[in-house]
Amino acid sequence: MKPYDVLIIGGGPAGLAAAIYASRAGLRYALVEQGFPGGQVLNTSEVDNYPGFPEISGMDLGMKWMEHAQKLGMQQIMEEVTDLEVGEDIKVVRTFGGEYTTKNILFCTGAAPRMLGVPGEDRLRGKGVSYCATCDGAFFRNQKTAVIGGGDTAVSDAIYLSALCQEVFLIHRRDRLRAADYLCKKVQMKENIHILWNSQVREIQGEERVSSLLVSDTEGQEKRLEVAGAFIAVGIQPNSGLLKGKVDTDSAGYILTNDHMETSIRGVYAAGDVRKKFLRQIITAAADGAVAIESIVAAL
Ligand code: NAP
């Protein structure tokens, strides 16, 4: 079978924007995504910084992108990629379902939540430990929950949970939130959100399910916080494992690219949260996808 011009791996904002641009450019391409396209945004309760949509749920925004890409003829290979061969002019993408050849690969695999790394986290995952408030929040209706972290995700999650839960404890290791100013203002206005400053979770406790957290502050004071759910939002890590050792990355595993989204291997491009960049937002991921496709078109 004739090789594709490009196989886009990953269906978040970068991958879907790339699919839209690839359709418009008339490329022979497919989006390889094992699940429902949309990426991390599908787990975001509310997006209010994407131009044209002053207030929209992440799910609705993701659906709009998918409909847009499909309307332009996007083909999806709904399979999990297991291996990539990137050395030659023609690249090979292997999945559980088959093997596909392509002139270019565009890597848009995004990032995944980082683990907190405390005792109890692994054992109680899915039993009160969650990394997605919009996915799991409803299970904790009228109960007490905690969110760990101080960035945009943690603060948005706390706000989202405050509408469902009796009380929400936002546990942050410093005395200042990292989240955007408007989120910080919003969180302060919620009466059932209590911020525990300068505090770290030492252990997640419970037999069958989460029942409490062991929390210590910078003065060394320890206390047990009774909660039914622990939502961990301590940042993200790149999903770059498939390219590990094959292209240049930084020490955290983010793929290094130039302004054209080219990696250190000719014909391999990266776009969105998986690459090293200044600002990881929906808008910059989508922009990366567009730039990558235009670079590929120019090089074909
Ligand atoms: P983040 O900005 O990296 O924030 C991670 C937070 O977790 C920080 O407050 C950090 O504390 C804390 N943390 C990290 N390791 C920790 C540990 N071991 N123990 C306790 N706390 C720890 O991550 P994020 O909030 O997931 O956001 C990731 C990216 O997505 C950002 O660029 C963000 O702007 C973007 N995002 C955007 C939106 C939106 O625009 N609607 C929504 C969500 C996320 P320190 O502050 O002390 O470092």
Side-chain angles (χ1 to χ4, degrees):
M1 195 168 140
K2 204 173 148 206
Y4 287 96
D5 289 327
V6 58
L7 281 174
I8 301 165
I9 300 174
L16 286 170
I20 289 168
Y21 275 70
S23 291
R24 288 170 77 252
L27 297 187
R28 183 174 143 67
Y29 81 96
L31 180 90
V32 190
E33 162 63 64
Q34 60 176 326
F36 196 74
Q40 290 181 93
V41 72
L42 299 179
N43 303 334
T44 306
S45 54
E46 192 185 305
V47 176
D48 61 6
N49 58 358
Y50 196 75
F53 298 93
E55 202 176 319
I56 187 166
S57 74
M59 179 61 82
D60 287 348
L61 190 57
M63 289 297 289
K64 280 185 185 294
W65 289 330
M66 198 180 70
E67 283 161 16
H68 187 166
Q70 284 174 340
K71 195 173 165 197
L72 292 177
M74 178 181 78
Q75 297 293 317
Q76 183 178 348
I77 298 172
M78 212 178 229
E79 291 167 13
E80 184 182 355
V81 177
T82 52
D83 185 40
L84 301 172
E85 252 177 51
V86 296
E88 305 299 327
D89 275 354
I90 298 299
K91 326 283 182 210
V92 182
V93 174
R94 293 200 181 85
T95 69
F96 281 123
E99 194 172 286
Y100 305 89
T101 53
T102 179
K103 294 179 197 163
N104 297 284
I105 289 174
L106 173 53
F107 212 67
C108 305
T109 48
R114 194 186 291 147
M115 308 289 118
L116 184 60
V118 296
E121 180 179 13
D122 257 352
R123 185 173 59 82
L124 294 166
R125 183 171 307 153
K127 299 171 184 161
V129 172
S130 169
Y131 300 85
C132 176
T134 50
C135 316
D136 300 329
F139 298 122
F140 300 89
R141 215 172 272 278
N142 301 322
Q143 300 183 62
K144 292 183 188 174
T145 55
V147 178
I148 298 111
D152 284 341
T153 305
V155 176
S156 319
D157 283 359
I159 293 167
Y160 177 78
L161 291 170
S162 70
L164 299 166
C165 302
Q166 187 193 356
E167 281 180 280
V168 180
F169 299 94
L170 179 59
I171 305 171
H172 184 37
R173 64 182 177 184
R174 287 191 297 135
D175 60 357
R176 202 161 160 247
L177 295 169
R178 177 186 290 281
D181 198 44
Y182 83 98
L183 286 171
C184 297
K185 287 189 177 127
K186 216 166 164 180
V187 82
Q188 308 271 7
M189 283 159 57
K190 301 282 177 191
E191 282 181 2
N192 64 343
I193 298 181
H194 314 289
I195 305 181
L196 275 60
W197 301 106
N198 301 312
S199 298
Q200 296 254 45
V201 172
R202 297 291 171 203
E203 188 180 348
I204 303 176
Q205 301 170 324
E207 291 294 325
E208 297 297 313
R209 296 193 56 80
V210 170
S211 59
S212 59
L213 305 179
L214 191 62
V215 181
S216 71
D217 64 22
T218 38
E219 322 249 275
Q221 300 279 350
E222 279 200 346
K223 70 172 164 190
R224 189 190 296 250
L225 198 64
E226 290 194 1
V227 291
F231 289 85
I232 295 168
V234 294
I236 53 174
Q237 57 191 14
N239 293 324
S240 57
L242 280 167
L243 282 178
K244 194 170 177 198
K246 293 177 173 157
V247 299
D248 292 348
T249 65
D250 70 4
S251 58
Y254 288 100
I255 297 170
L256 303 181
T257 68
N258 62 14
D259 287 352
H260 291 213
M261 309 301 144
E262 293 166 318
T263 69
S264 54
I265 300 272
R266 196 165 60 88
V268 179
Y269 296 74
D273 282 6
V274 74
R275 78 178 188 97
K276 182 175 166 61
K277 61 196 291 194
F278 171 61
L279 183 64
R280 289 195 179 83
Q281 299 268 297
I282 299 164
I283 193 167
T284 60
D288 285 359
V291 171
I293 292 298
E294 292 307 310
S295 306
I296 289 167
V297 169
L300 273 175

Short mmCIF file of all heavy atoms in Angstrom, two decimals, residues 66-125:
data_model
loop_
_atom_site.label_atom_id
_atom_site.label_comp_id
_atom_site.label_asym_id
_atom_site.label_seq_id
_atom_site.Cartn_x
_atom_site.Cartn_y
_atom_site.Cartn_z
N MET A 66 -13.82 17.62 16.84
CA MET A 66 -13.93 16.33 16.16
C MET A 66 -14.90 16.42 14.99
O MET A 66 -14.61 15.95 13.89
CB MET A 66 -14.36 15.25 17.14
CG MET A 66 -14.08 13.87 16.60
SD MET A 66 -14.57 12.60 17.71
CE MET A 66 -16.32 12.73 17.64
N GLU A 67 -16.05 17.07 15.24
CA GLU A 67 -17.04 17.22 14.16
C GLU A 67 -16.42 18.00 12.98
O GLU A 67 -16.62 17.66 11.82
CB GLU A 67 -18.27 17.98 14.67
CG GLU A 67 -19.18 17.12 15.52
CD GLU A 67 -20.11 17.97 16.39
OE1 GLU A 67 -20.26 19.17 16.12
OE2 GLU A 67 -20.66 17.41 17.35
N HIS A 68 -15.66 19.03 13.33
CA HIS A 68 -15.02 19.86 12.29
C HIS A 68 -14.06 18.99 11.46
O HIS A 68 -14.10 18.99 10.23
CB HIS A 68 -14.27 21.00 12.99
CG HIS A 68 -13.69 22.03 12.07
ND1 HIS A 68 -13.24 23.24 12.50
CD2 HIS A 68 -13.47 22.03 10.73
CE1 HIS A 68 -12.78 23.95 11.48
NE2 HIS A 68 -12.91 23.22 10.40
N ALA A 69 -13.21 18.23 12.16
CA ALA A 69 -12.22 17.40 11.46
C ALA A 69 -12.93 16.34 10.61
O ALA A 69 -12.53 16.07 9.47
CB ALA A 69 -11.28 16.75 12.47
N GLN A 70 -13.99 15.75 11.15
CA GLN A 70 -14.70 14.71 10.41
C GLN A 70 -15.40 15.29 9.18
O GLN A 70 -15.44 14.67 8.12
CB GLN A 70 -15.71 14.01 11.31
CG GLN A 70 -15.01 13.02 12.25
CD GLN A 70 -15.93 12.40 13.27
OE1 GLN A 70 -17.00 12.94 13.55
NE2 GLN A 70 -15.50 11.29 13.85
N LYS A 71 -15.93 16.49 9.34
CA LYS A 71 -16.61 17.14 8.21
C LYS A 71 -15.66 17.33 7.04
O LYS A 71 -16.05 17.28 5.88
CB LYS A 71 -17.16 18.49 8.69
CG LYS A 71 -18.17 19.09 7.77
CD LYS A 71 -18.78 20.33 8.38
CE LYS A 71 -19.50 21.11 7.30
NZ LYS A 71 -19.76 22.47 7.68
N LEU A 72 -14.37 17.55 7.37
CA LEU A 72 -13.38 17.75 6.31
C LEU A 72 -12.80 16.42 5.83
O LEU A 72 -11.87 16.40 5.03
CB LEU A 72 -12.27 18.68 6.79
CG LEU A 72 -12.69 20.13 7.03
CD1 LEU A 72 -11.52 20.95 7.58
CD2 LEU A 72 -13.18 20.78 5.74
N GLY A 73 -13.32 15.31 6.37
CA GLY A 73 -12.92 13.99 5.84
C GLY A 73 -11.84 13.28 6.63
O GLY A 73 -11.17 12.38 6.10
N MET A 74 -11.64 13.63 7.89
CA MET A 74 -10.60 12.96 8.68
C MET A 74 -10.83 11.45 8.76
O MET A 74 -11.92 11.00 9.04
CB MET A 74 -10.58 13.53 10.10
CG MET A 74 -9.55 12.85 11.00
SD MET A 74 -9.58 13.51 12.67
CE MET A 74 -11.02 12.70 13.36
N GLN A 75 -9.78 10.70 8.48
CA GLN A 75 -9.83 9.24 8.66
C GLN A 75 -9.14 8.92 9.97
O GLN A 75 -8.04 9.41 10.22
CB GLN A 75 -9.06 8.53 7.53
CG GLN A 75 -9.64 8.75 6.15
CD GLN A 75 -11.01 8.10 6.01
OE1 GLN A 75 -11.21 6.97 6.45
NE2 GLN A 75 -11.96 8.83 5.42
N GLN A 76 -9.75 8.10 10.80
CA GLN A 76 -9.11 7.71 12.06
C GLN A 76 -8.76 6.23 12.05
O GLN A 76 -9.59 5.40 11.68
CB GLN A 76 -10.04 8.00 13.25
CG GLN A 76 -9.38 7.69 14.59
CD GLN A 76 -10.27 8.03 15.78
OE1 GLN A 76 -11.28 8.68 15.66
NE2 GLN A 76 -9.85 7.57 16.96
N ILE A 77 -7.54 5.93 12.42
CA ILE A 77 -7.16 4.53 12.65
C ILE A 77 -7.30 4.36 14.17
O ILE A 77 -6.50 4.92 14.94
CB ILE A 77 -5.71 4.25 12.19
CG1 ILE A 77 -5.58 4.49 10.68
CG2 ILE A 77 -5.29 2.84 12.57
CD1 ILE A 77 -4.15 4.42 10.16
N MET A 78 -8.32 3.62 14.59
CA MET A 78 -8.62 3.55 16.02
C MET A 78 -7.84 2.40 16.66
O MET A 78 -8.39 1.35 17.00
CB MET A 78 -10.12 3.38 16.22
CG MET A 78 -10.61 4.04 17.48
SD MET A 78 -12.35 3.87 17.67
CE MET A 78 -12.86 5.49 18.04
N GLU A 79 -6.54 2.57 16.74
CA GLU A 79 -5.67 1.52 17.26
C GLU A 79 -4.59 2.14 18.14
O GLU A 79 -4.23 3.30 17.95
CB GLU A 79 -5.02 0.77 16.09
CG GLU A 79 -6.01 -0.06 15.29
CD GLU A 79 -5.45 -0.55 13.96
OE1 GLU A 79 -4.22 -0.47 13.76
OE2 GLU A 79 -6.25 -1.00 13.13
N GLU A 80 -4.06 1.32 19.04
CA GLU A 80 -2.97 1.81 19.90
C GLU A 80 -1.63 1.57 19.22
O GLU A 80 -1.35 0.46 18.74
CB GLU A 80 -3.01 1.06 21.24
CG GLU A 80 -1.97 1.58 22.20
CD GLU A 80 -1.96 0.84 23.53
OE1 GLU A 80 -2.82 -0.04 23.75
OE2 GLU A 80 -1.07 1.12 24.34
N VAL A 81 -0.81 2.60 19.17
CA VAL A 81 0.52 2.46 18.56
C VAL A 81 1.43 1.73 19.54
O VAL A 81 1.48 2.07 20.73
CB VAL A 81 1.11 3.85 18.20
CG1 VAL A 81 2.52 3.71 17.64
CG2 VAL A 81 0.20 4.56 17.19
N THR A 82 2.14 0.73 19.03
CA THR A 82 3.02 -0.03 19.92
C THR A 82 4.50 0.24 19.64
O THR A 82 5.34 0.08 20.50
CB THR A 82 2.77 -1.55 19.75
OG1 THR A 82 2.86 -1.85 18.34
CG2 THR A 82 1.39 -1.94 20.27
N ASP A 83 4.80 0.66 18.39
CA ASP A 83 6.21 0.83 18.04
C ASP A 83 6.33 1.74 16.82
O ASP A 83 5.43 1.78 15.97
CB ASP A 83 6.81 -0.55 17.73
CG ASP A 83 8.30 -0.47 17.48
OD1 ASP A 83 8.98 0.28 18.19
OD2 ASP A 83 8.77 -1.14 16.53
N LEU A 84 7.43 2.45 16.76
CA LEU A 84 7.68 3.33 15.61
C LEU A 84 9.08 3.05 15.07
O LEU A 84 10.02 2.88 15.85
CB LEU A 84 7.65 4.80 16.05
CG LEU A 84 6.38 5.34 16.68
CD1 LEU A 84 6.63 6.74 17.23
CD2 LEU A 84 5.26 5.37 15.65
N GLU A 85 9.18 3.02 13.74
CA GLU A 85 10.51 2.95 13.10
C GLU A 85 10.69 4.27 12.40
O GLU A 85 9.92 4.61 11.49
CB GLU A 85 10.52 1.83 12.06
CG GLU A 85 11.32 0.63 12.49
CD GLU A 85 11.25 -0.46 11.45
OE1 GLU A 85 11.49 -0.18 10.26
OE2 GLU A 85 10.90 -1.57 11.84
N VAL A 86 11.69 5.03 12.81
CA VAL A 86 11.77 6.42 12.33
C VAL A 86 13.04 6.73 11.55
O VAL A 86 13.23 7.85 11.10
CB VAL A 86 11.63 7.42 13.51
CG1 VAL A 86 10.28 7.29 14.16
CG2 VAL A 86 12.74 7.25 14.53
N GLY A 87 13.90 5.72 11.39
CA GLY A 87 15.23 6.00 10.84
C GLY A 87 15.27 6.29 9.36
O GLY A 87 16.05 7.11 8.89
N GLU A 88 14.43 5.62 8.58
CA GLU A 88 14.54 5.69 7.12
C GLU A 88 13.65 6.79 6.53
O GLU A 88 12.89 7.44 7.25
CB GLU A 88 14.13 4.33 6.53
CG GLU A 88 14.89 3.15 7.10
CD GLU A 88 16.39 3.24 6.82
OE1 GLU A 88 16.78 3.77 5.77
OE2 GLU A 88 17.16 2.79 7.68
N ASP A 89 13.72 6.92 5.20
CA ASP A 89 12.85 7.88 4.51
C ASP A 89 11.39 7.53 4.73
O ASP A 89 10.56 8.40 4.95
CB ASP A 89 13.15 7.88 3.01
CG ASP A 89 14.32 8.82 2.70
OD1 ASP A 89 14.75 9.51 3.65
OD2 ASP A 89 14.78 8.84 1.56
N ILE A 90 11.09 6.23 4.64
CA ILE A 90 9.73 5.77 4.91
C ILE A 90 9.68 5.26 6.35
O ILE A 90 10.46 4.39 6.75
CB ILE A 90 9.33 4.65 3.92
CG1 ILE A 90 9.35 5.18 2.47
CG2 ILE A 90 7.94 4.08 4.26
CD1 ILE A 90 8.39 6.31 2.19
N LYS A 91 8.80 5.83 7.13
CA LYS A 91 8.68 5.44 8.55
C LYS A 91 7.63 4.34 8.68
O LYS A 91 6.73 4.22 7.85
CB LYS A 91 8.23 6.62 9.42
CG LYS A 91 8.74 7.97 8.99
CD LYS A 91 10.16 8.19 9.37
CE LYS A 91 10.65 9.57 8.99
NZ LYS A 91 12.08 9.59 8.70
N VAL A 92 7.72 3.59 9.78
CA VAL A 92 6.75 2.52 10.02
C VAL A 92 6.09 2.76 11.38
O VAL A 92 6.77 2.99 12.38
CB VAL A 92 7.43 1.13 10.02
CG1 VAL A 92 6.39 0.03 10.22
CG2 VAL A 92 8.19 0.91 8.72
N VAL A 93 4.76 2.72 11.37
CA VAL A 93 3.99 2.85 12.61
C VAL A 93 3.32 1.49 12.84
O VAL A 93 2.54 1.03 12.01
CB VAL A 93 2.92 3.96 12.48
CG1 VAL A 93 2.02 3.99 13.71
CG2 VAL A 93 3.58 5.32 12.27
N ARG A 94 3.66 0.86 13.96
CA ARG A 94 3.06 -0.44 14.27
C ARG A 94 2.00 -0.27 15.35
O ARG A 94 2.19 0.50 16.31
CB ARG A 94 4.10 -1.43 14.78
CG ARG A 94 5.08 -1.81 13.72
CD ARG A 94 5.83 -3.11 13.99
NE ARG A 94 6.75 -3.30 12.87
CZ ARG A 94 7.98 -2.76 12.81
NH1 ARG A 94 8.43 -2.05 13.81
NH2 ARG A 94 8.73 -2.93 11.74
N THR A 95 0.92 -1.00 15.18
CA THR A 95 -0.15 -0.98 16.18
C THR A 95 -0.48 -2.43 16.51
O THR A 95 0.05 -3.36 15.88
CB THR A 95 -1.42 -0.31 15.62
OG1 THR A 95 -1.96 -1.16 14.62
CG2 THR A 95 -1.15 1.06 15.04
N PHE A 96 -1.40 -2.62 17.47
CA PHE A 96 -1.83 -3.99 17.75
C PHE A 96 -2.56 -4.57 16.54
O PHE A 96 -2.59 -5.76 16.33
CB PHE A 96 -2.75 -4.02 18.98
CG PHE A 96 -1.97 -3.93 20.27
CD1 PHE A 96 -2.23 -2.93 21.20
CD2 PHE A 96 -0.99 -4.86 20.56
CE1 PHE A 96 -1.51 -2.85 22.37
CE2 PHE A 96 -0.26 -4.79 21.74
CZ PHE A 96 -0.52 -3.78 22.65
N GLY A 97 -3.10 -3.66 15.69
CA GLY A 97 -3.90 -4.12 14.55
C GLY A 97 -3.12 -4.27 13.25
O GLY A 97 -3.60 -4.91 12.33
N GLY A 98 -1.96 -3.69 13.13
CA GLY A 98 -1.25 -3.78 11.86
C GLY A 98 -0.03 -2.90 11.79
O GLY A 98 0.53 -2.49 12.82
N GLU A 99 0.40 -2.63 10.56
CA GLU A 99 1.63 -1.89 10.31
C GLU A 99 1.34 -0.89 9.20
O GLU A 99 0.75 -1.26 8.18
CB GLU A 99 2.69 -2.90 9.87
CG GLU A 99 4.07 -2.38 9.89
CD GLU A 99 5.07 -3.51 9.62
OE1 GLU A 99 5.30 -4.34 10.52
OE2 GLU A 99 5.62 -3.52 8.50
N TYR A 100 1.73 0.36 9.37
CA TYR A 100 1.42 1.40 8.39
C TYR A 100 2.71 2.12 8.01
O TYR A 100 3.53 2.41 8.88
CB TYR A 100 0.42 2.41 8.97
CG TYR A 100 -0.84 1.75 9.50
CD1 TYR A 100 -0.91 1.30 10.82
CD2 TYR A 100 -1.93 1.55 8.67
CE1 TYR A 100 -2.05 0.66 11.30
CE2 TYR A 100 -3.07 0.91 9.13
CZ TYR A 100 -3.13 0.47 10.45
OH TYR A 100 -4.26 -0.16 10.92
N THR A 101 2.86 2.41 6.72
CA THR A 101 4.06 3.13 6.29
C THR A 101 3.68 4.57 5.96
O THR A 101 2.57 4.86 5.51
CB THR A 101 4.71 2.47 5.05
OG1 THR A 101 3.72 2.34 4.05
CG2 THR A 101 5.29 1.13 5.40
N THR A 102 4.63 5.46 6.22
CA THR A 102 4.34 6.89 6.05
C THR A 102 5.64 7.66 5.78
O THR A 102 6.71 7.26 6.25
CB THR A 102 3.64 7.45 7.31
OG1 THR A 102 3.40 8.84 7.14
CG2 THR A 102 4.46 7.24 8.58
N LYS A 103 5.51 8.75 5.02
CA LYS A 103 6.70 9.57 4.77
C LYS A 103 7.05 10.41 6.01
O LYS A 103 8.20 10.73 6.25
CB LYS A 103 6.42 10.52 3.59
CG LYS A 103 6.23 9.78 2.28
CD LYS A 103 5.94 10.80 1.18
CE LYS A 103 5.33 10.11 -0.03
NZ LYS A 103 4.67 11.04 -0.94
N ASN A 104 6.02 10.79 6.75
CA ASN A 104 6.24 11.65 7.94
C ASN A 104 5.38 11.16 9.11
O ASN A 104 4.29 10.62 8.90
CB ASN A 104 5.82 13.09 7.63
CG ASN A 104 6.66 13.71 6.53
OD1 ASN A 104 7.80 14.10 6.76
ND2 ASN A 104 6.10 13.79 5.33
N ILE A 105 5.89 11.42 10.29
CA ILE A 105 5.11 11.15 11.50
C ILE A 105 4.94 12.47 12.24
O ILE A 105 5.93 13.22 12.41
CB ILE A 105 5.83 10.13 12.42
CG1 ILE A 105 5.81 8.74 11.79
CG2 ILE A 105 5.19 10.09 13.80
CD1 ILE A 105 6.62 7.71 12.56
N LEU A 106 3.73 12.75 12.66
CA LEU A 106 3.50 13.92 13.52
C LEU A 106 3.04 13.40 14.88
O LEU A 106 1.98 12.79 15.00
CB LEU A 106 2.47 14.86 12.88
CG LEU A 106 2.00 16.03 13.74
CD1 LEU A 106 3.16 16.84 14.28
CD2 LEU A 106 1.07 16.94 12.92
N PHE A 107 3.87 13.65 15.88
CA PHE A 107 3.66 13.09 17.21
C PHE A 107 2.89 14.11 18.06
O PHE A 107 3.42 15.16 18.41
CB PHE A 107 5.04 12.81 17.80
CG PHE A 107 5.07 11.64 18.73
CD1 PHE A 107 4.85 10.36 18.26
CD2 PHE A 107 5.32 11.83 20.08
CE1 PHE A 107 4.88 9.27 19.12
CE2 PHE A 107 5.35 10.75 20.95
CZ PHE A 107 5.13 9.47 20.46
N CYS A 108 1.64 13.78 18.37
CA CYS A 108 0.78 14.71 19.14
C CYS A 108 0.19 13.98 20.34
O CYS A 108 -1.03 14.05 20.58
CB CYS A 108 -0.37 15.21 18.27
SG CYS A 108 0.11 15.97 16.73
N THR A 109 1.02 13.29 21.08
CA THR A 109 0.50 12.39 22.11
C THR A 109 0.25 13.07 23.45
O THR A 109 -0.21 12.44 24.40
CB THR A 109 1.49 11.22 22.31
OG1 THR A 109 2.78 11.79 22.43
CG2 THR A 109 1.46 10.27 21.14
N GLY A 110 0.57 14.36 23.54
CA GLY A 110 0.19 15.13 24.72
C GLY A 110 0.92 14.73 25.99
O GLY A 110 2.06 14.24 25.97
N ALA A 111 0.24 14.92 27.10
CA ALA A 111 0.85 14.66 28.40
C ALA A 111 -0.20 14.01 29.30
O ALA A 111 -1.39 14.04 29.00
CB ALA A 111 1.33 15.98 29.00
N ALA A 112 0.28 13.43 30.38
CA ALA A 112 -0.63 12.73 31.30
C ALA A 112 -0.36 13.23 32.73
O ALA A 112 0.72 13.75 33.01
CB ALA A 112 -0.37 11.23 31.22
N PRO A 113 -1.33 13.07 33.62
CA PRO A 113 -1.12 13.56 34.99
C PRO A 113 0.09 12.90 35.66
O PRO A 113 0.34 11.71 35.47
CB PRO A 113 -2.41 13.15 35.71
CG PRO A 113 -3.40 12.87 34.66
CD PRO A 113 -2.64 12.45 33.44
N ARG A 114 0.80 13.70 36.42
CA ARG A 114 1.95 13.20 37.18
C ARG A 114 1.45 12.58 38.49
O ARG A 114 0.46 13.05 39.06
CB ARG A 114 2.88 14.37 37.47
CG ARG A 114 4.25 13.95 37.94
CD ARG A 114 5.09 15.14 38.35
NE ARG A 114 5.48 16.01 37.26
CZ ARG A 114 5.64 17.32 37.37
NH1 ARG A 114 5.41 17.92 38.52
NH2 ARG A 114 6.01 18.04 36.35
N MET A 115 2.13 11.54 38.93
CA MET A 115 1.77 10.90 40.21
C MET A 115 2.31 11.76 41.36
O MET A 115 3.33 12.42 41.21
CB MET A 115 2.40 9.50 40.34
CG MET A 115 2.14 8.58 39.16
SD MET A 115 0.45 8.04 39.07
CE MET A 115 -0.05 8.71 37.50
N LEU A 116 1.64 11.67 42.50
CA LEU A 116 2.13 12.39 43.68
C LEU A 116 3.29 11.62 44.32
O LEU A 116 4.21 12.22 44.87
CB LEU A 116 0.97 12.57 44.67
CG LEU A 116 1.23 13.37 45.92
CD1 LEU A 116 1.65 14.80 45.59
CD2 LEU A 116 -0.03 13.40 46.80
N GLY A 117 3.21 10.30 44.25
CA GLY A 117 4.31 9.47 44.76
C GLY A 117 4.30 9.30 46.27
O GLY A 117 5.37 9.32 46.89
N VAL A 118 3.12 9.14 46.85
CA VAL A 118 3.07 8.93 48.31
C VAL A 118 2.44 7.56 48.59
O VAL A 118 1.71 7.03 47.75
CB VAL A 118 2.26 10.03 49.04
CG1 VAL A 118 2.92 11.37 48.89
CG2 VAL A 118 0.81 10.08 48.56
N PRO A 119 2.73 6.99 49.78
CA PRO A 119 2.12 5.71 50.13
C PRO A 119 0.59 5.78 50.03
O PRO A 119 -0.01 6.80 50.42
CB PRO A 119 2.57 5.47 51.57
CG PRO A 119 3.78 6.32 51.75
CD PRO A 119 3.62 7.50 50.83
N GLY A 120 0.00 4.74 49.52
CA GLY A 120 -1.46 4.65 49.42
C GLY A 120 -1.98 5.08 48.05
O GLY A 120 -3.08 4.71 47.65
N GLU A 121 -1.19 5.87 47.32
CA GLU A 121 -1.69 6.42 46.04
C GLU A 121 -2.00 5.30 45.03
O GLU A 121 -3.09 5.26 44.45
CB GLU A 121 -0.65 7.38 45.46
CG GLU A 121 -1.07 8.00 44.13
CD GLU A 121 -0.02 8.98 43.60
OE1 GLU A 121 1.13 8.99 44.10
OE2 GLU A 121 -0.36 9.74 42.67
N ASP A 122 -1.04 4.41 44.85
CA ASP A 122 -1.22 3.30 43.89
C ASP A 122 -2.34 2.37 44.31
O ASP A 122 -3.21 2.02 43.53
CB ASP A 122 0.08 2.47 43.85
CG ASP A 122 0.87 2.79 42.61
OD1 ASP A 122 0.35 3.52 41.76
OD2 ASP A 122 2.02 2.30 42.53
N ARG A 123 -2.28 1.98 45.57
CA ARG A 123 -3.23 0.99 46.10
C ARG A 123 -4.68 1.49 46.04
O ARG A 123 -5.59 0.72 45.78
CB ARG A 123 -2.84 0.67 47.56
CG ARG A 123 -3.62 -0.42 48.24
CD ARG A 123 -3.02 -0.74 49.59
NE ARG A 123 -2.97 0.39 50.49
CZ ARG A 123 -3.98 0.83 51.23
NH1 ARG A 123 -5.13 0.20 51.19
NH2 ARG A 123 -3.84 1.87 52.02
N LEU A 124 -4.87 2.80 46.22
CA LEU A 124 -6.24 3.33 46.30
C LEU A 124 -6.66 4.07 45.02
O LEU A 124 -7.69 4.73 45.02
CB LEU A 124 -6.37 4.23 47.54
CG LEU A 124 -6.23 3.46 48.86
CD1 LEU A 124 -6.03 4.39 50.03
CD2 LEU A 124 -7.45 2.57 49.09
N ARG A 125 -5.86 3.90 43.96
CA ARG A 125 -6.25 4.52 42.67
C ARG A 125 -7.58 3.91 42.21
O ARG A 125 -7.75 2.70 42.22
CB ARG A 125 -5.18 4.26 41.62
CG ARG A 125 -5.49 4.95 40.31
CD ARG A 125 -4.32 4.85 39.37
NE ARG A 125 -3.12 5.35 40.03
CZ ARG A 125 -1.89 4.95 39.72
NH1 ARG A 125 -1.68 4.08 38.78
NH2 ARG A 125 -0.84 5.45 40.36
#
